[in-house]
Amino acid sequence: MSHGLFITLEGSEGSGKSTQIAYIKSYLESKGRKVICVREPGGTPIAEDIRKILKTPRSDDNLCDTAELLLMYAARAQLVNTLIKPNLEKGIDVICDRHDLSTIAYQGGGRGMNMDDINACRKVVLGDFRPNLTILIDIDPVVGMNRAQKRGALDRFEQSKMDFFVRVRNTYLEYAKEHPNEVKVVSGEQALEKVSSDIKILLDELHV
Ligand code: T5A
């Protein structure tokens, strides 16, 4: 039995990842493939508990950057080892809403954490495990936050200042430029259907 495909979606708040994941799932299923969708942080009961800690703003304590980084990797370890790898081994495709590149962009770029420390966590948790394809939906953070704000209350990350999101975007784009075979960039400021048709071209390149 052949291995499933591991496809990850990346991008800032409101870039349209969740919307496009629904499209990717239906496109892959139309080709007769079995597909599951997960998200980071989260995706298993334990990782979803960690997600709540990471996303909930609280007034009685501040999550420090190191704790935030380690919680991201704790949730990732749980998801990758108990759900993503076993499904890939069964031949099922896994589409993940955010993965390791989010840590590089948010904790590395946004928070300014040391990349050697991030790479050390990455090595422990992932080893050489990497996605078959990462799609970065790029969007001006002002446009993305306007979309996100329409949903109502902002989470702990969404409450950050705009310069944080500008650093996140720049880090994403720098990484994509340095790793053109790993990360493919699609503009998220186009009509939904055009974003989907750009993504379809990338999926077809995988010969699905
Ligand atoms: N995080 C995560 C880290 O800091 N480090 C890490 O390692 C990881 C894994 C997760 C937070 O955790 C941080 C990053 C995040 O801050 P989340 O709720 O999962 O939080 O956040 P997002 O993934 O950003 O979720 P969003 O829902 O905000 O973004 P999406 O999924 O990209 O956007 P989507 O599809 O929900 O679309 C938002 C709105 O825009 C519309 C949609 O209809 C929707 O209303 N839309 C469009 N409108 C016009 N044109 C288009 N092309 C559109 N595409 C979508």
Side-chain angles (χ1 to χ4, degrees), residues 14-45:
S15 55
K17 297 178 300 301
S18 316
T19 311
Q20 294 302 329
I21 281 173
Y23 166 76
I24 296 171
K25 182 172 191 289
S26 70
Y27 184 67
L28 293 177
E29 285 175 345
S30 77
K31 301 278 180 182
R33 304 183 70 95
K34 284 193 179 145
V35 183
I36 61 161
C37 300
V38 291
R39 66 176 180 184
E40 285 203 25
T44 80

Side-chain angles (χ1 to χ4, degrees), residues 12-19 40-41 51 55 72 76 97-99 102-103 106-107 147-148 151 155 157-158 188 190-192 195:
S12 314
E13 273 64 15
S15 55
K17 297 178 300 301
S18 316
T19 311
E40 285 203 25
R51 177 184 177 91
K55 295 240 316 171
M72 286 294 174
R76 185 163 301 139
D97 190 340
R98 298 190 177 281
H99 182 58
S102 282
T103 310
Y106 282 77
Q107 281 64 51
R147 287 184 191 165
R151 269 193 311 241
D155 68 29
F157 288 96
E158 289 164 346
Q190 317 176 87
L192 279 176
V195 181

Side-chain angles (χ1 to χ4, degrees), residues 52-67:
K52 281 192 205 108
I53 299 173
L54 282 160
K55 295 240 316 171
T56 309
R58 52 192 297 167
S59 53
D60 60 343
D61 201 1
N62 264 333
L63 192 62
C64 74
D65 289 353
T66 304

Side-chain angles (χ1 to χ4, degrees), residues 162-175:
M162 190 47 69
D163 60 343
F164 173 83
F165 294 108
V166 171
R167 289 195 298 278
V168 167
R169 184 196 197 185
N170 291 342
T171 309
Y172 266 137
L173 290 174
E174 275 162 32
Y175 189 94

